[in-house]
Amino acid sequence: MSYNNTILAIETSSNICGISFIKNGTLIDSMDEDKSKQHAEILPKLYQDLQIRNNFSLSDIDAIAVSIGPGSFTGLRIGLSFTKGLAFSHNLPIIPVSTMMSLAYNSRKFLPTLGIIYSHAKRVFYQKISWINMVPSPDGEIKVAEWDKFLDEIDKTENIFQLNCGKLDKSSGFISTSLSSSSIGILANNNYDELVIDQPYDLIPNYVSPFIVNKNK
């Protein structure tokens, strides 16, 4: 379902640092930069530039969406901290969006049924995905596995997307995808009632554990 909301969306879960302006389910503007380990410096500037370019203020925003993980420990903390600062200053709700579902949405023309994100060393996050009307949803929890064991156990005939797994095995043949703040915003709008948290004081990033959002209303 699509809602008529104005949403600011933030992505910092990996190398991409980005922010998007979504209105009534439509992307108005987006700024994404590939700047690994520079999110804390870049994100405030991107926010300011997006405001100037689109002439909006926080009083025009209904909610702030953020990529909640899994992903980079530091990146996720920076994104959620910045999101909370903006949200608390104007008493705005936060919409945490699974990074895995955002990646799936960016790969939607393939309708992948499994997603993989490189974690660290030879470990990966993975999750089954289902689709309704071209919108992804989790089909089970996010899990962590050793790369070699994971490859032995999965069905390689499935449509599978991956992020940053080329450093482990360039011959895997999985669909390469990418991060974007716009997909965070679109999914936040489509799943507004399901994901929105009106008082997100205890919200934390999803670092490694299965993706569970506790709604504290």
Side-chain angles (χ1 to χ4, degrees):
M1 180 182 293
S2 181
Y3 296 84
N4 295 323
N5 295 303
T6 301
I7 295 173
L8 194 66
I10 292 170
E11 168 61 72
T12 59
S13 65
S14 186
N15 57 305
I16 296 296
C17 181
I19 188 165
S20 290
F21 184 47
I22 311 289
K23 192 167 185 177
N24 300 334
T26 299
L27 174 64
I28 303 302
D29 198 1
S30 183
M31 295 182 179
D32 291 322
E33 293 190 11
D34 189 344
K35 297 286 187 180
S36 181
K37 298 181 180 180
Q38 299 180 49
H39 296 352
E41 294 81 15
I42 292 173
L43 187 56
K45 179 65 163 57
L46 291 181
Y47 169 64
Q48 183 180 52
D49 290 346
L50 191 72
Q51 273 191 309
I52 293 171
R53 207 156 80 176
N54 295 277
N55 191 30
F56 71 86
S57 67
L58 278 180
S59 60
D60 300 316
I61 302 297
D62 295 310
I64 304 177
V66 63
S67 184
I68 202 68
S72 159
F73 179 85
T74 302
L76 291 171
R77 289 185 66 184
I78 291 169
L80 184 57
S81 295
F82 188 78
T83 297
K84 284 184 174 182
L86 294 179
F88 292 170
S89 70
H90 281 65
N91 196 29
L92 295 172
I94 291 177
I95 309 172
V97 177
S98 165
T99 306
M100 191 75 77
M101 292 305 104
S102 172
L103 290 166
Y105 186 76
N106 282 344
S107 309
R108 61 191 177 278
K109 69 178 181 180
F110 302 105
L111 293 180
T113 53
L114 182 66
I116 319 167
I117 301 174
Y118 173 70
S119 172
H120 65 285
K122 287 196 171 185
R123 292 179 182 171
V124 294
F125 304 107
Y126 69 98
Q127 185 173 36
K128 286 279 192 178
I129 301 157
S130 59
W131 294 85
I132 299 176
N133 298 324
M134 299 298 288
V135 176
S137 60
D139 185 9
E141 297 179 337
I142 292 176
K143 299 179 181 179
V144 183
E146 294 290 334
W147 177 251
D148 293 337
K149 183 178 180 181
F150 169 79
L151 289 177
D152 289 339
E153 294 180 353
I154 63 170
D155 179 0
K156 297 186 181 65
T157 64
E158 288 188 79
N159 284 344
I160 302 171
F161 73 77
Q162 62 84 16
L163 178 70
N164 295 332
C165 294
K167 60 189 72 178
L168 295 173
D169 182 0
K170 294 183 179 179
S171 64
S172 62
F174 301 141
I175 300 161
S176 294
T177 189
S178 59
L179 295 158
S180 69
S181 56
S182 59
S183 63
I184 295 296
I186 296 297
L187 289 176
N189 186 74
N190 288 345
N191 299 285
Y192 190 93
D193 283 346
E194 176 186 352
L195 297 178
V196 68
I197 300 178
D198 292 328
Q199 296 180 330
Y201 306 112
D202 298 324
L203 182 63
I204 62 172
N206 179 33
Y207 297 117
V208 177
S209 59
F211 180 64
I212 300 173
V213 174
N214 294 317
K215 298 184 71 171
N216 301 308
K217 294 195 175 185

